[in-house]
Every structure is written in structure tokens, then in C-alpha cells.
Amino acid sequence: MPSTDVILNTTTAGETVICYHCGTACLNRNIATDEKFFCCEGCLLVYEILNKNGLCDYYKLQNHPGLSQIKAGRQDKYAFLDEASVAAQLYSFTDGNHTVVNLYIPGVHCSSCMWLLEHLQKINPGITDSRLNFTSKELTVRFNLEKISLRSVVELLATIGYPPYISLDNTQDKKPKGNSARIYKLGIAGFCFGNIMMMSFPEYFSLTSGMEKQYTELFRYLNLGLALPVFFYCASEFWINAWKGLQQKMLNIDAPIALAILITFTRSIYEIATHTGSGFLDSMSGIIFFMLVGRVIQERVYSSISFHRDYKAYFPIAVSVLTETGTAIRNIQELKENDVVQLHHDEIIPADGMIVKGEARIDYSFVTGESDPVIKEKGDTVYAGGRQTGTELTICITKPVASSYLTSLWNHHSFQKNKHTKNNKESAVHVLSKYFTYVLFALALITGIFWAFRDPSKILPSVSAMLIVACPCALLLSATYTNGNLLRLFSNNGLFLRDADVIEPLGKIDNIVFDKTGTLTECNDKTALTGAVFSAEELASIFTVANSSQHPYSRALVRFLGKYPLQRVTSWQEYTGKGIEATVNGSRIKIGSASFLGIAPTPDHANVYISVDEKKIAAFRFYAGLRTGVPDMLRQLRNKFRLSLLSGDNEREKELVQSLFDSGGQLLFNRKPIDKLHYIASLQEKDANVLMIGDGLNDAGALQQSNVGITLADDINNFTPSCDAILSAGSFTSLPAILNLARNGRAIIRFSFFISVIYNVIGLSFAVQGKLNPLLAAILMPVSTLSIVLITTGLTYFAARLNGLGKQSKPEVN
Amino acid sequence: MSVLFLLVFASIAVAGGFLVAFLWSVRTNQFEDQEGSAMRILHDDPVPNSNVSDNK
């Protein structure tokens, strides 16, 4: 038997082949058909289905378009869709027969996906039609309930590699329907603005005196007619927002805009009706048009990111409940005390309960941050939010879902706090606009009093002109456009902000708090097997044994070993917390702790020890290594920010990270979620602006307490608690550049603010004298708006280029 | 000069036509999925008896 080094085993057959379906490198050539190789049975299955149905064009459109099927789901994962009440919530239309359902499919990524998903009717004739919205990754399937059930449709999608994402979110609140109303408004405002502008040209060039009076009048009334839809329809959101603000006795940003629009419109009507002038309808519709453009851009940027998700999205939507008659599928809201629930591998515990049967290996990393699973036995209590990583587990619910530990953690007052009031100082835009309004009123009052003594006939023209020309539109636009642009630039670089209000606090950050596990570190491939050298046959046996266990160490070992054919096992015994002992192909394999094997631990405290027939002994070590680029990134950051580290884990990896943090920062281990929250609160008491970067539900309190909370996600469609932003893991190292850009963003806003203040000063200086004529207003207002747009857009792109964030393409999203 | 009346109304009518076209295109969801249609048009209609062939 030739003994081969373990590192080389992936290339046993010489040249590496890649999976025909998904393009992953195949570990061996065992899985093949039609001279095509596949990495796993799942990929082969997909290929066979497509081949049988004549859908192999799928592979012609793109090379290896499929998604790896290595992680296959449980058989009855979608059984809950058989429950009529669950299924009915998901239908967007049904007459009991013809049914339409919208499914969100995160796996969609190329034109082959689209082609396949739109040819579902070839695979199952029960499906009449399917149509994919590529941008929003939503598949609309029409099918006949008599021929195929919703569960079968979903299972079909899962089998061909496109499992839909179904969670409570889908059923509880339906997504608001598009923003087409705003697009209508934009179209109409643009149309009216252009035409009003055109018909105001004679007035601009003072050609009216030479013209016949009838034309002047005609143009003015046409302008008025065109301004009506702008005033009543396009500007409606400003009215509504301003009114809502006033009801709460708040002067929000829309209030002065609404006031300016109202005054402009009334004065224009007055002038036109009394034949004293042409009014300022062109300025009014122009301003409304440009402001709508700004809001549409801003909305577009994050419409494709489904963002605000709460914990409900991570719980299974329904669970298997054991009843006297058998197993029933029940909605988790309907769970009651004393219900007996069956949990499968990788399912989240929906509510606190007591173990009735089976052995629990609960991964509480969402709740406590500790990544090692907790082992519980019959009679022990398990808490909601944990994930079962062992096999089948039966628990008896002791508390209904709402009052469980996780829910109460989530309902802690810091989670409830309104995010907008979190940064107690209001954003600069709001402060300045409020300030602006008062200053404007004061100035208007002084002007009015002044003219009351000098020339009472000028009170009305001058005061109204002031309110018209001093509309904070340019001020508002500078923030809208800068932030809109920054949002786009950030999302191009893998940072997805909840909304634009996050940018400002992000630019003020002076303290950064990192979570360790899953944020700075990841379970990487820096693994090593030292000691005896095993033959391929022995490795296959070790693989077989490790593969049968769900322990993270076993999983790490399986990942490390790669793929081997499963061997015949004659005896198998797992000793809780110690290891596994098994007989495979006649040789006795032991995998476990040093004491379990009866040997002395290696000096580097390896995680797992392996012995074959108690003769060949090897130590397996895997590291929770730092993510690539993290040391460099921390070195860059620590010059500008005070860094600290909070970890729910033990101090095992302290030396790994200690050198990377400067002396000013703190490294704290064994922190519970609430400790993390308190730590951040204590920093904030010292007037620090804290950025928290974490990865999971256990950091939720800290994320919320911090001025800006960023969740690091390996997959942006993945698990994310409510936070201010999601940073995709691939872009983690661009964090310094991102923070820099946010700082620049603040400077850009201040600069364009300054410019628009100058415009306002010029405009007001004419207005107070009662000399504002339509031409001046028509030049000043659009020019100020346009120049603000150009300045902000240009400067943000320039700043992004300076920070090296300019040209980056969208990160790969699986 | 009365030709101006005609011109003004004609130009507004033409512009209005485009406005209606725009509103119609929004209403019929033509701006919903801008990437999808670009890909869909490149997909060939299924050829009867197309045999499975490699793309390598």
C-alpha cells in the first residue's frame, strides 16, 4: 500500500477536473456520467433532471452555471408547505386551482439561471408558466394546484439547485408595492417643468413688451395650468410630510419646502390674476422636479437590498409537532406549552423547552457568542435561538415563543429604541434646516418691519420673495445627492447601509469595537495534520468516521480531508465530549481528545487526535485564523481610531490578536451580549462615537447601542439581525477606505452647504429690497440646484477614487 | 402671429404624447427588471430534437 501525503490527496488522479454543473474542483473522478464529471451526487442529480427534460441548453449559455449541491437539505424540509394555512399565506393569487406564487430565490446569478427557471414547465407540466425578475430575484410561478402542490414546486426548485428563501417575513408583512407613484410624479413634474420653462422664455428676455398682450396672457395661463398638477400631485409628498411633522409639533425638513412652494404658488396666482407679473411657476416646478429626482435616486440605490430583518426571519417558519396521531406541522406562533417538538439537524430551537429524547448539541453562538456547542441530555433545558447540530432531537416546549429568552433579549429596551434617536444629536441637515427656518423667519420679520416704516406697499412683495428664494432646496439637495451617491458607492464596495441617515454618524466615528469570532477570525484552511502518515485507505476510514459526527471538530476534519468513498463500518460509538471510536474495514479508529486516546497532548494543544489501531497517531489542529488582510487593516485603522475587541469566546486566541491592537484599546473576552452593550454604553458616556462590527444575533444589543452597528456577513442574503449596515465579508478590508469616504462625505456636504448658503445670501439680498424679478429667480434657483448636483456628484466620485473605492465592481454574491 | 397659437398647442400636444408614453411604460412595469429582458432576448427558442452537446 503506497502511503501518500494527505495534502496531495485531492490530486490523486493527476490533473484536477472541475464539476460540469457548478465548476467546483472535483475531489475525485468517481461521480461521472456522459463523460462529464461532477463534484457531488447533488450536481449529478440536477444534471440528470435537466438532461431528461431536454434542458441542457442551461449549460450552453454559461460555463458551469450551477450552484454546488454538496450541502444537501433534509428530505422533508419543506413539509410545512403542505399545511394549508402556511401555503395560503404565500399565494399571491389562487382560485383553488390556478395559483400564483412569488418566491425569492437568492441563488439567481446569471442568464442560465434565468433560462432554466423560466422553463420549469418542461420539467413538471403542472407548472403553467414561470417568470423571473432578475433584478429583485423574484420568481413568479403560475401552477395548477390539482396537478402539483406548492411543496412540490418548492422542492423542484430546491432539487435543481435554486431553493427559495421562505421565512416568516414573507408571510407576515408583504412588501410595499414598488415606487411607481413617485416615478409618475417625476415624469409629470419633468414634463410640466420643461414646458413652463419654455413658455417663460419671452418673460426672461423681456420680450413681453413688444409682444401682443394676448400672448403674454396666454403663456401665463398655460403656465398656471401646467403648474396645477405639479402643485397638487407631484408635490403631494412634501405636503403630507410637512403636515405629519406639524402634527407632532416638529418642523421637519419638508416644512420649509412646503411653505416655500405654497407661497410661490399663491404669489404667482396673485400676479397672474392681477396682471402684475408672471409669477415664479418655473422656479417652483423646477425645484420640485429636481427634488423628486434626488429622492428617486436615493430610493433606487437600496431598493434591491432587502434589508430590515428581525429575528423572526431566522426562526423556522413551522416545526414538526408530535401529536397522539403522529407528526403534524405547525406554525411557530401556534406553539403552546407542553407541545412536543421534533428538531432536525441544523434547525433553530423555536422556544424554550426540555429535552425529551435524543442528545442535544446546541450551538448557542447566536445568543452567547460561544462557538463550541453545548451538550445537553434528556431532562435538560434548552433555550430558544440555539441551533441543534446533532441529529434528531425531541423537546417539550416549556414557554411559548413570545416569552422566550431570545425574544426577551431582542425586546430589551436598547433594541426597541428608535434608531433615529440613537445618535441623540440630530443630523446636521435637520439642525441646519431648522435653524435656517428660524433665521429666515426672523429676517422676514425685520424686513417687514423695515418696509412698514419706509414703504408699506413693499412689505408683501419683499417678504414673499424672501420666502420663495430662500427655500432650502439647495441645502437639502446637497445632503440628498451626496448621500445618495455615497450609498451607491458603498454598496458597490460591499457595504449596505440601512438608510442615508447612517452616513453622517459613520463619518463621525472615533472608536471601533470588533467582535472576534466570525468577524476578525474565520474558520480557515490553516489546518494541519501532524504525526503519522496515513495511507489512502486509512484516510478513507478516518473520513468515514468523522463524517458520521456533527461535532464542529469532526466537520473541520471532514473539510480538511476532502472527499473519500464511505467505508463499511462494523462498530461505531460516540463518547460525549470525548471522541468517537469505530471499527472500519477491520481497523480500529479513534478520533477525540488526547485523554480519550490515552496519550499526552502535543505542545501546541491540537484540537483533535486520531489513532489507527492505537499505533499510528496523528494530531489535527485547526485555527480560527484571522481573515485575510485583517492585520494590515487593523494597522491602518489604529492610527486614526481607538480599537477594542469584545469576544464572547474564551481567551484561547488572545495572543493571536493582541499584537494587532495598540495599547490604547482593550481586549475583553468571555463577554455576554449584555456586557458588550454595557461596554459600548460606557464608551459613549465618554463622548465616544462607537462603531461596532459584529456578526450575529448575539451582538445585536451592542450593534444597536453603538452609534453605527455593522454586521459582517459572508453572504449578504444571509442571516442578519437589525443593524445599521451590512458589510459583505469580502470587503472587510476596505473598511478604512469606507470610513474615510464617509468622513469625506461629511466634508462634501458641508462644502455644498456653504455654496448653497452663498446662493441664498445673493437671492435674499435682492429679495429684501423687493427687487426679485422672475428672471433672477429662474436663473438663480435652477442654477443653484444644478450646480449642487454637479458639485456633490463630482466630489463624491473624486473622493471615492482617492480612497480607492471608485472603480470596484459589485462583489460576488452567491 | 396667430400661427403661434397653433405652434404652442401643437408642441404641448406632442410633449404630452411622450408623457403619456412614459406613464404607460412605467405602468406596464417596463422599468421593473432592466437586466432580465436584456438576457431573455438572447435565449434561443427550443429547437425540437436538439441533441445534448458539450460546450467545452
Side-chain angles (χ1 to χ4, degrees):
Chain A
M1 181 59 55
S3 57
T4 95
D5 195 284
V6 279
I7 311 296
L8 296 173
N9 74 66
T10 51
T11 55
T12 41
E15 182 199 353
T16 328
V17 287
I18 54 172
C19 177
Y20 185 65
H21 177 72
C22 69
T24 316
C26 297
L27 298 164
N28 54 41
R29 294 176 180 235
N30 297 351
I31 307 166
T33 187
D34 302 342
E35 296 175 5
K36 298 176 180 72
F37 297 101
F38 297 90
C39 66
C40 60
E41 297 291 337
C43 288
L44 175 66
L45 180 71
V46 177
Y47 172 77
E48 278 172 348
I49 293 174
L50 300 185
N51 196 15
K52 200 174 80 194
N53 293 289
L55 288 173
C56 277
D57 276 356
Y58 178 60
Y59 297 103
K60 288 188 202 159
L61 294 164
Q62 302 264 315
N63 280 334
H64 318 297
L67 298 173
S68 173
Q69 297 298 305
I70 286 175
K71 199 181 166 191
R74 181 165 49 81
Q75 274 293 302
D76 51 352
K77 190 177 170 194
Y78 295 108
F80 65 90
L81 293 174
D82 279 340
E83 185 81 353
S85 66
V86 177
Q89 287 176 313
L90 294 167
Y91 297 149
S92 50
F93 167 81
T94 184
D95 61 3
N97 212 348
H98 297 282
T99 305
V100 182
V101 67
N102 277 310
L103 296 167
Y104 174 60
I105 304 192
V108 170
H109 63 286
C110 68
S111 72
S112 278
C113 305
M114 179 164 177
W115 185 83
L116 179 60
L117 289 171
E118 296 196 343
H119 285 81
L120 290 178
Q121 68 272 22
K122 282 197 166 183
I123 303 177
N124 192 314
I127 296 170
T128 34
D129 177 38
S130 53
R131 181 122 182 137
L132 179 75
N133 182 334
F134 192 83
T135 317
S136 62
K137 299 185 177 185
E138 272 182 350
L139 183 72
T140 309
V141 189
R142 285 166 216 279
F143 59 99
N144 194 329
L145 266 186
E146 276 182 356
K147 292 182 189 156
I148 183 168
S149 69
L150 176 64
R151 178 182 169 184
S152 313
V153 171
V154 170
E155 278 176 350
L156 171 66
L157 287 168
T159 334
I160 59 170
Y162 295 98
Y165 179 83
I166 301 171
S167 79
L168 281 176
D169 263 11
N170 297 37
T171 57
Q172 283 202 336
D173 36 7
K174 292 270 180 222
K175 259 198 232 160
K177 197 72 195 129
N179 55 350
S180 50
R182 200 172 264 174
I183 304 286
Y184 290 151
K185 287 180 189 170
L186 185 66
I188 292 171
F191 167 79
C192 297
F193 164 59
N195 282 292
I196 294 174
M197 199 81 174
M198 192 178 75
M199 280 185 284
S200 302
F201 265 74
E203 305 267 358
Y204 295 160
F205 301 115
S206 306
L207 301 176
T208 42
S209 52
M211 262 166 65
E212 288 141 274
K213 198 169 165 57
Q214 48 181 339
Y215 288 116
T216 320
E217 291 296 305
L218 171 72
F219 289 158
R220 285 177 181 177
Y221 280 105
L222 274 175
N223 278 351
L224 188 58
L226 286 166
L228 288 176
V230 178
F231 182 77
F232 287 107
Y233 177 63
C234 304
S236 55
E237 64 186 88
F238 301 113
W239 304 131
I240 294 166
N241 288 344
W243 178 243
K244 278 184 189 158
L246 285 178
Q247 276 181 325
Q248 292 168 7
K249 302 206 164 120
M250 259 178 58
L251 214 51
N252 60 17
I253 190 73
D254 283 340
I257 297 173
L259 180 72
I261 298 172
L262 185 69
I263 289 179
T264 317
F265 191 68
T266 351
R267 178 162 166 183
S268 304
I269 290 182
Y270 170 79
E271 285 188 3
I272 292 169
T274 57
H275 310 287
T276 47
S278 59
F280 301 91
L281 294 170
D282 47 348
S283 312
M284 183 194 86
S285 46
I287 287 302
I288 292 172
F289 173 69
F290 283 115
M291 272 189 300
L292 285 174
V293 170
R295 291 194 180 184
V296 166
I297 289 175
Q298 207 166 8
E299 203 174 81
R300 276 278 149 130
V301 173
Y302 39 73
S303 65
S304 57
I305 314 156
S306 57
F307 202 90
H308 193 77
R309 291 185 183 171
D310 59 2
Y311 72 99
K312 283 178 246 155
Y314 317 121
F315 285 123
I317 188 170
V319 286
S320 320
V321 177
L322 294 176
T323 60
E324 286 162 19
T325 49
T327 321
I329 308 295
R330 199 168 292 169
N331 252 323
I332 66 161
Q333 294 101 318
E334 292 167 18
L335 278 183
K336 290 185 292 286
E337 274 177 52
N338 299 325
D339 274 348
V340 179
V341 172
Q342 196 160 29
L343 291 172
H344 305 85
H345 174 65
D346 256 3
E347 280 190 351
I348 293 179
I349 301 168
D352 295 0
M354 199 182 73
I355 299 174
V356 179
K357 208 174 87 190
E359 192 196 63
R361 296 169 167 279
I362 314 281
D363 175 3
Y364 277 123
S365 54
F366 296 153
V367 186
T368 60
E370 179 60 55
S371 56
D372 296 335
V374 181
I375 292 163
K376 298 274 183 180
E377 307 225 9
K378 189 178 168 182
D380 287 346
T381 308
V382 288
Y383 299 100
R387 188 191 283 275
Q388 162 70 339
T389 57
T391 47
E392 300 268 309
L393 177 72
T394 311
I395 62 166
C396 176
I397 301 295
T398 49
K399 276 186 196 172
V401 176
S403 58
S404 282
Y405 168 66
L406 187 68
T407 330
S408 55
L409 176 74
W410 199 271
N411 290 339
H412 185 279
H413 65 90
S414 93
F415 298 99
Q416 295 283 333
K417 251 193 287 178
N418 185 351
K419 294 243 182 186
H420 291 278
T421 58
K422 184 167 75 180
N423 301 295
N424 7 0
K425 285 167 216 151
E426 275 180 274
S427 75
V429 184
H430 284 89
V431 171
L432 270 162
S433 69
K434 204 192 259 175
Y435 191 61
F436 177 87
T437 314
Y438 291 130
V439 169
L440 181 61
F441 280 150
L443 274 177
L445 191 69
I446 294 168
T447 316
I449 293 169
F450 174 79
W451 285 116
F453 288 110
R454 289 288 294 270
D455 182 359
S457 69
K458 280 197 170 174
I459 296 176
L460 215 57
S462 61
V463 169
S464 62
M466 281 180 75
L467 295 179
I468 291 167
V469 80
C471 137
C473 310
L475 295 175
L476 179 75
L477 280 170
S478 56
T480 313
Y481 276 89
T482 312
N483 288 340
N485 240 326
L486 285 176
L487 278 181
R488 193 207 309 273
L489 286 166
F490 283 144
S491 72
N492 280 347
N493 287 285
L495 177 76
F496 302 93
L497 299 179
R498 186 169 40 77
D499 55 34
D501 291 346
V502 180
I503 294 176
E504 213 186 318
L506 192 63
K508 286 189 195 163
I509 291 305
D510 47 33
N511 260 268
I512 305 179
V513 177
F514 291 97
D515 171 54
K516 185 178 70 68
T517 318
T519 306
L520 290 183
T521 64
E522 62 181 345
C523 260
N524 65 2
D525 305 324
K526 228 169 90 186
T527 44
L529 189 60
T530 48
V533 177
F534 298 111
S535 70
E537 195 187 331
E538 282 165 338
L539 285 171
S541 304
I542 294 167
F543 173 83
T544 308
V545 176
N547 195 36
S548 61
S549 157
Q550 293 293 345
H551 194 279
Y553 293 171
S554 306
R555 305 318 306 166
L557 185 58
V558 166
R559 270 202 304 278
F560 173 70
L561 289 175
K563 183 101 182 164
Y564 282 92
L566 290 179
Q567 306 295 311
R568 210 171 58 85
V569 181
T570 39
S571 78
W572 193 87
Q573 181 71 47
E574 185 160 4
Y575 298 92
T576 308
K578 291 175 186 162
I580 315 164
E581 186 174 352
T583 315
V584 183
N585 289 342
S587 49
R588 212 149 64 86
I589 312 272
K590 273 178 143 187
I591 303 175
S593 63
S595 60
F596 178 63
L597 270 69
I599 53 168
T602 55
D604 66 340
H605 291 278
N607 305 71
V608 185
Y609 298 86
I610 303 162
S611 76
V612 177
D613 290 330
E614 309 220 334
K615 287 197 296 259
K616 283 180 153 183
I617 294 171
F620 176 62
R621 174 91 167 97
F622 72 92
Y623 301 86
L626 291 172
R627 286 180 191 273
T628 10
V630 162
D632 277 343
M633 183 192 76
L634 289 177
R635 270 189 280 275
Q636 282 180 49
L637 285 175
R638 70 183 181 197
N639 297 329
K640 289 183 184 167
F641 305 95
R642 189 164 169 267
L643 308 178
S644 15
L645 178 104
L646 293 177
S647 176
D649 237 332
N650 56 34
E651 296 195 22
R652 200 166 47 199
E653 277 135 7
K654 188 169 180 176
E655 74 276 15
L656 183 70
V657 285
Q658 192 157 32
S659 60
L660 299 170
F661 286 81
D662 55 354
S663 47
Q666 275 184 291
L667 299 158
L668 301 168
F669 291 89
N670 295 317
R671 298 290 133 162
K672 289 200 189 67
I674 199 78
D675 299 334
K676 296 186 181 180
L677 194 158
H678 289 322
Y679 177 73
I680 288 176
S682 73
L683 284 178
Q684 284 170 332
E685 275 166 26
K686 294 175 212 151
D687 282 335
N689 288 302
V690 184
L691 169 69
M692 168 79 201
I693 302 180
D695 68 327
L697 196 52
N698 58 314
D699 297 321
L703 288 171
Q704 187 93 5
Q705 176 67 41
S706 58
N707 298 66
V708 179
I710 296 182
T711 298
L712 197 70
D714 283 305
D715 175 352
I716 45 175
N717 298 313
N718 211 344
F719 184 98
T720 320
S722 303
C723 55
D724 298 306
I726 299 177
L727 180 63
S728 95
S731 315
F732 190 35
T733 46
S734 43
L735 189 68
I738 284 169
L739 290 174
N740 244 336
L741 184 56
R743 284 190 170 187
N744 295 344
R746 286 188 70 210
I748 292 168
I749 292 178
R750 270 189 297 224
F751 176 65
S752 52
F753 245 91
F754 175 69
I755 302 253
S756 55
V757 165
I758 290 179
Y759 281 121
N760 272 307
V761 168
I762 297 172
L764 280 174
S765 62
F766 282 97
V768 288
Q769 303 169 47
K771 282 183 189 165
L772 183 76
N773 60 19
L775 178 62
L776 186 66
I779 292 172
L780 202 61
M781 293 173 75
V783 163
S784 71
T785 314
L786 274 174
S787 60
I788 292 297
V789 173
L790 293 176
I791 287 172
T792 52
T793 324
L795 283 182
T796 41
Y797 278 115
F798 182 65
R801 293 264 302 257
L802 276 187
N803 287 309
L805 297 173
K807 290 276 176 197
Q808 221 160 311
S809 59
K810 276 206 164 174
E812 283 284 314
V813 179
N814 287 327
Chain B
M1 278 295 262
S2 61
V3 71
L4 262 179
F5 278 111
L6 188 70
L7 283 176
V8 165
F9 285 105
S11 69
I12 291 183
V14 171
F18 282 106
L19 177 68
V20 170
F22 173 73
L23 295 181
W24 168 78
S25 62
V26 174
R27 195 183 194 82
T28 49
N29 294 335
Q30 293 183 30
F31 292 97
E32 275 287 289
D33 182 12
Q34 287 161 41
E35 292 164 75
S37 310
M39 293 178 183
R40 202 172 279 122
I41 199 163
L42 295 174
H43 295 160
D44 294 328
D45 289 333
V47 184
N49 299 326
S50 70
N51 48 354
V52 187
S53 66
D54 259 15
N55 62 344
K56 280 199 190 172

